[in-house]
Amino acid sequence: DQQRTERLVTVVESLEEKQKLAFTAIIRKQQRFNDDLQKYVRMCEDEVSGMTTDHEETSNDEFMKYLAAHFADRPRTFNALRAFLIRKNNRDIKLLKNSIRADHDYKQLYKSKDKLIANLNEDQAGTVEIFQAIINRACPLIVNKACIAHLLKMAKEPKGRRQTALSQKALTAQSILKEISITYPVMYEGCLTEITKGIMNDKDNIAAEEELELLAELSKSNPGHRKYDSNLIKRLRSYVVDGKVGQANLASVILGNMKNADRSMADLVESLSDELSLKARNLLSTLTSLSQFALYTPRLLTPYIDLIYTESNPEWVAYDKLPELSKQKITGVRLLVNYLTACRNEMEPEEHIITKTLSILWDLLERTCDGALTDNTNSAETSHLRLGASQAIVKLTHYDKYLNELTVPKFERLSYTLQDTCFYVRLEFAEFLMKGLQTEQIHPRYYSLLFICAHEPEESLLKQIRSFIQKRLSSLEIKQAESTVLDSSLVRLVHLLAHHPDFTITTEDLMVFAQYIRFFLSCVATAENVSFLYHIAQKIKLSKDMVSAELSDNSYVLSDMTSLLIKYKCKESSWPLNAYAGRVTLQSKLYKSLPPGAVQNETMEKSYLPQAFIEKLEEEERRKLGDKRARTSIKGGG
C-alpha cells in the first residue's frame, strides 16, 4: 500500500497542470459510474428478493441501457448486465458489491473482484470480459482507502522555507487527500483519528489548515451525524473565535455539520452575533463563521438574522461614532466645498477645480447603502456623504459663480435624496431645505422638491413637511390672478415626475404618481388659486419638454392627471372651477409652447390617461365621497 501510494504521488507530481485536471476528471468520472453501478447492485438485490414490479422492470432495462452506453459494445454490455440480473446469484451480487465499495481497501477490492470473475468464468464465461471492463471502470483502485494513512503521513509538510522535493510531495499528497475528501469521503472512515490528531497538535492556532479542510469536506458529506470529543470541539471553537478567516470558515463548517449542532452550538452563535459591530476585532472572521452556520444550521441564526442587516453595517450612525477613516473622507469633502464657498467672489479657482469638485459631489449621490454592503464598506459613511453632498450642491449653486453647474436634470436628481433609503438622510435634507426656504437662503425652486416626499413612510416627517408648506403659503399674500412661488412649483413638480426613473403609464405606477399630485394639492390648493393651478396643468399640455422632447408625452399624462385630480378636489371641497383669465408663462428651461394650430389642438383633444387608470381613480373618488357622506350622516343623526 505504501509503495502504491508513493508511486501515485510521484506520478501526480510529475503531471502538468492540464494533466492534473484530467486526472481529477478521471477520478470523478469513476466515482459517478461507481454510484451508478451501486444502483445496479441494488436492482439485482431487489430481483433476488422478488420485489420488482412490471414498471420497475421496464425502468431497469432503461437504466441498464444507460450503463451500457458507457462502453463501445453496447449490445453485449446490455446483455451481460441483463444476464447477471436475471441470474439472481446472491453470492456473486455480494461479490460485485464488495468489489466496488469505496470503504474497502485495495486488497479487499481485488479479492472480491477476482472471486467474482472466477465465478462468472464457471457458468457465464461470455460475460467475463464485459464485467472486467465494468468493474475496472467503477472500482476505486487508483485511489482507495488503503492510500489514506500513507497520504496523511506524506502530507505533513516539512518545516522551513525552502521548497524541497519533500515539500513538493507533501503538497501533492495534500491535493490528492482533498480530492478524495470531496469524491470519496467514505474512504476516510477509520482515519479520522489521524486527522483530528493534526488539529489537536496545533498548539498556536496557526497550522492544521490541511486537516481542517479535510475534516470540513468529510463533515459536509455526512451532515448531522458525526460526533467529536469535547477537546476537539473546544479547539474548533477556538478557531472560530480567535483563528484566521480560513480557519474560522473551516471550523464553522465542521461544527455546523456535527450531530446536535442546533443545540451544542447555540451559545457560540449567540456570542458571535453579539460581536457584530464594525469595530469588532475579528469582524470578517465572525461574519465568515456565521455565514457557514447560516448555511448548515439556519435555525441557530433565526433569532439574530436582523442584526446582520442592521447592526453589522447600519445605514446611519451619529458623526461622532463613525470610524476615523469615514470622518476623514467627510472632512475632505467639506474642505473642497469650503474652498469653493470662499472663492465664490474671486477669480479663482480655475474652471477645472470647480468641475472636479462638483463632479465628486454628484458622484457621491450615487454611493448607496446597498452598494456599501456589496463592497464591504461603511454604509453610514455613504449616508453622511450623500447627505453632505446634497447640501453642498444646494449651497454652492446658490452662488452665481456655480449656478451653471445646476442643470435641470441635476436639479431633479437632488430630489432623490428626499427618497433615500436612509431615514436620517431624508430627514436632514428635508429640514435643511425647509430652513433654507424659510430664511430665503436658498432659491424658491426647492419648494418643488419637497413634494417628492408624498410617499414618505415616516408619518411624522410627512406631517412636518405638509405643515411647513401650508404655513409658508399662509404667510404669502395670495391674490386672485396672481402666481406665487408655491403655485409655480407645480410646473417643476410635473417636469420632475415626468423624468422620474420609476415613471410608467401602467395603472399601478400612475396610482403611485397620483399621490404626488394629491400631496401637492393638499398642501397648496385653495378655492382662490385652484383655477390658476388648473390653468397651469392645461398650459403644460400645450408645451413640449425642453430637456427631452421625446418625454413630452409623460408631461401630457401628468397634465391630464393633475387636471382630473383638481376637478375631484373641487368637487370634494365644493369649490368653483372658473376659467383663469390671467396669462401664464412656463419656465423656459422646462417647457416651450407648441406652435398654435393643428398640433396644439390634437394634443389638447387627446386623452393621455389609460382608461383603466381613469376608472380606478373614479372608483376611489366615489368611495371617498361615500365615506364622507356617511360621516356627515352620522354627525347629523347625532
Side-chain angles (χ1 to χ4, degrees):
D1 290 336
Q2 182 177 346
Q3 290 177 346
R4 277 194 301 273
T5 305
E6 288 174 354
R7 283 199 299 270
L8 172 65
V9 171
T10 301
V11 170
V12 174
E13 183 187 1
S14 68
L15 299 176
E16 298 291 334
E17 199 58 40
K18 286 186 178 179
Q19 294 171 324
K20 287 180 181 178
L21 290 174
F23 172 78
T24 301
I26 290 171
I27 299 297
R28 296 189 180 186
K29 187 176 180 181
Q30 183 188 66
Q31 187 272 331
R32 288 193 294 272
F33 190 75
N34 184 287
D35 283 347
D36 290 336
L37 202 57
Q38 287 184 41
K39 181 178 178 181
Y40 171 75
V41 169
R42 290 192 293 273
M43 281 169 43
C44 294
E45 291 172 338
D46 290 343
E47 188 73 22
V48 170
S49 64
M51 296 172 60
T52 308
T53 64
D54 291 342
H55 173 73
E56 286 173 334
E57 283 186 9
T58 304
S59 177
N60 290 347
D61 280 351
E62 291 300 318
F63 185 69
M64 286 187 288
K65 287 177 184 177
Y66 160 75
L67 290 178
H70 289 79
F71 300 89
D73 195 340
R74 296 185 185 186
R76 278 189 67 201
T77 305
F78 174 77
N79 290 334
L81 290 167
R82 180 143 186 78
F84 188 87
L85 176 71
I86 61 178
R87 185 164 167 258
K88 299 183 182 181
N89 188 309
N90 220 352
R91 177 196 59 183
D92 287 351
I93 292 171
K94 187 174 182 180
L95 286 172
L96 176 60
K97 184 177 184 178
N98 289 337
S99 67
I100 60 172
R101 285 184 62 159
D103 59 345
H104 279 193
D105 62 29
Y106 186 87
K107 291 177 181 177
Q108 290 172 313
L109 293 170
Y110 241 105
K111 183 179 178 181
S112 298
K113 175 189 171 186
D114 287 348
K115 182 63 176 170
L116 174 62
I117 296 302
N119 290 348
L120 291 175
N121 245 330
E122 292 177 4
D123 59 354
Q124 278 193 329
T127 66
V128 169
E129 183 185 349
I130 297 294
F131 261 87
Q132 279 185 323
I134 290 172
I135 295 170
N136 286 341
R137 179 162 292 202
C139 184
L141 293 176
I142 302 174
V143 293
N144 53 77
K145 186 174 181 178
C147 300
I148 302 294
H150 302 293
L151 285 170
L152 286 170
K153 289 178 183 177
M154 295 179 72
K156 297 296 181 185
E157 194 169 345
K159 302 294 182 183
R161 295 184 179 180
R162 286 199 308 165
Q163 195 79 342
T164 64
L166 206 56
S167 65
Q168 277 299 108
K169 287 191 181 300
L171 291 173
T172 304
Q174 289 167 14
S175 69
I176 297 172
L177 283 167
K178 182 178 178 181
E179 180 55 38
I180 295 173
S181 71
I182 296 170
T183 312
Y184 289 112
V186 70
M187 289 183 181
Y188 279 90
E189 297 300 332
C191 301
L192 289 179
T193 303
E194 188 67 26
I195 296 172
T196 56
K197 189 187 297 182
I199 296 173
M200 293 306 299
N201 288 339
D202 177 21
K203 302 299 183 186
D204 302 317
N205 280 15
I206 58 173
E209 288 211 15
E210 293 82 16
E211 287 86 352
L212 283 171
E213 195 166 359
L214 291 176
L215 193 54
E217 289 296 336
L218 298 176
S219 299
K220 289 189 288 186
S221 71
N222 197 14
H225 288 87
R226 297 192 184 277
K227 295 175 67 176
Y228 305 111
D229 66 53
S230 58
N231 289 329
L232 178 62
I233 293 173
K234 185 177 180 181
R235 173 54 54 87
L236 292 171
R237 289 171 72 115
S238 73
Y239 285 129
V240 171
V241 176
D242 296 313
K244 294 183 291 186
V245 174
Q247 293 172 327
N249 180 61
L250 295 169
S252 301
V253 172
I254 299 166
L255 293 171
N257 282 287
M258 65 182 283
K259 189 173 183 178
N260 298 324
D262 278 353
R263 292 197 297 272
S264 57
M265 292 297 112
D267 64 319
L268 177 59
V269 170
E270 181 181 8
S271 174
L272 292 172
S273 300
D274 288 343
E275 294 176 12
L276 284 176
S277 163
L278 289 172
K279 296 179 181 179
R281 180 170 54 91
N282 291 327
L283 179 59
L284 182 56
S285 293
T286 300
L287 288 171
T288 300
S289 296
L290 287 174
S291 72
Q292 296 299 350
F293 284 118
L295 181 61
Y296 298 113
T297 52
R299 279 186 291 181
L300 285 178
L301 266 292
T302 301
Y304 314 107
I305 199 67
D306 283 342
L307 296 174
I308 309 298
Y309 297 114
T310 57
E311 297 299 329
S312 61
N313 201 352
E315 286 189 330
W316 185 266
V317 296
Y319 177 82
D320 292 342
K321 294 183 178 179
L322 285 170
E324 283 303 310
L325 180 60
S326 298
K327 291 179 181 177
Q328 291 163 11
K329 292 178 185 178
I330 294 167
T331 306
V333 172
R334 195 177 298 153
L335 183 157
L336 296 173
V337 172
N338 287 348
Y339 177 71
L340 289 190
T341 302
C343 295
R344 64 188 181 276
N345 296 321
E346 306 291 334
M347 292 297 293
E348 296 177 352
E350 295 180 15
E351 190 63 32
H352 77 276
I353 300 288
I354 299 173
T355 304
K356 182 66 176 175
T357 302
L358 268 296
S359 176
I360 289 171
L361 294 176
W362 287 112
D363 286 345
L364 289 176
L365 297 190
E366 306 301 326
R367 298 196 180 183
T368 64
C369 292
D370 287 341
L373 291 170
T374 303
D375 300 338
N376 198 27
T377 53
N378 190 301
S379 288
E381 172 193 302
T382 65
S383 295
H384 277 273
L385 287 171
R386 287 195 306 279
L387 172 62
S390 300
Q391 293 171 332
I393 289 168
V394 174
K395 286 180 180 177
L396 289 174
T397 54
H398 184 67
Y399 305 124
D400 292 340
K401 189 178 186 70
Y402 310 123
L403 182 57
N404 62 346
E405 295 289 335
L406 191 67
T407 61
V408 172
K410 286 182 175 180
F411 168 75
E412 293 175 347
R413 170 64 185 84
L414 281 172
S415 69
Y416 303 162
T417 305
L418 291 168
Q419 295 183 324
D420 198 274
T421 57
C422 177
F423 166 69
Y424 291 98
V425 173
R426 302 195 304 272
L427 172 66
E428 294 284 339
F429 191 52
E431 290 187 339
F432 166 80
L433 291 179
M434 288 187 284
K435 181 179 179 181
L437 289 166
Q438 187 166 11
T439 57
E440 299 183 0
Q441 290 179 323
I442 63 174
H443 195 278
R445 68 171 70 92
Y446 289 100
Y447 276 109
S448 62
L449 296 194
L450 292 175
F451 298 109
I452 208 72
C453 299
H455 290 282
E456 170 56 48
E458 292 292 333
E459 188 62 31
S460 59
L461 177 56
L462 188 63
K463 285 182 178 178
Q464 183 182 351
I465 294 168
R466 178 185 279 114
S467 175
F468 168 79
I469 295 172
Q470 289 173 338
K471 285 179 181 177
R472 292 296 297 160
L473 179 63
S474 63
S475 69
L476 297 171
E477 186 179 359
I478 306 296
K479 295 180 181 178
Q480 180 70 18
E482 185 176 291
S483 168
T484 71
V485 291
L486 287 175
D487 300 333
S488 60
S489 291
L490 177 58
V491 181
R492 289 194 176 93
L493 176 62
V494 168
H495 193 273
L496 188 161
L497 295 176
H499 288 253
H500 197 286
D502 295 338
F503 182 86
T504 74
I505 58 169
T506 64
T507 299
E508 292 76 14
D509 285 344
L510 288 178
M511 292 302 294
V512 170
F513 275 73
Q515 182 58 27
Y516 294 114
I517 305 300
R518 283 189 175 122
F519 182 60
F520 174 88
L521 295 176
S522 71
C523 295
V524 174
T526 64
E528 290 75 22
N529 67 13
V530 70
S531 297
F532 171 67
L533 296 176
Y534 186 82
H535 184 72
I536 289 176
Q538 294 291 294
K539 183 75 174 177
I540 291 172
K541 198 173 178 181
L542 291 171
S543 309
K544 70 174 180 179
D545 193 319
M546 290 301 291
V547 176
S548 298
E550 64 273 15
L551 294 182
S552 293
D553 280 8
N554 290 2
S555 292
Y556 302 155
V557 171
L558 291 162
S559 168
D560 280 349
M561 178 194 291
T562 304
S563 299
L564 186 58
L565 289 171
I566 288 174
K567 289 179 180 178
Y568 287 149
K569 179 75 173 176
C570 289
K571 186 175 181 180
E572 180 185 342
S573 305
S574 301
W575 293 342
L577 185 58
N578 302 317
Y580 180 73
R583 181 180 175 82
V584 172
T585 303
L586 305 183
Q587 290 94 326
S588 60
K589 288 185 178 181
L590 304 182
Y591 295 106
K592 181 180 179 181
S593 295
L594 292 169
V599 176
Q600 269 196 4
N601 293 336
E602 182 183 344
T603 305
M604 284 302 295
E605 289 171 5
K606 179 179 176 180
S607 174
Y608 286 83
L609 291 175
Q611 188 60 34
F613 168 73
I614 295 174
E615 290 172 0
K616 188 163 186 177
L617 210 58
E618 287 175 346
E619 182 184 340
E620 274 197 3
E621 291 302 318
R622 281 196 299 270
R623 189 167 59 248
K624 282 168 61 179
L625 285 172
D627 291 344
K628 185 177 179 182
R629 290 194 189 101
R631 288 194 299 271
T632 304
S633 174
I634 291 170
K635 287 179 181 178

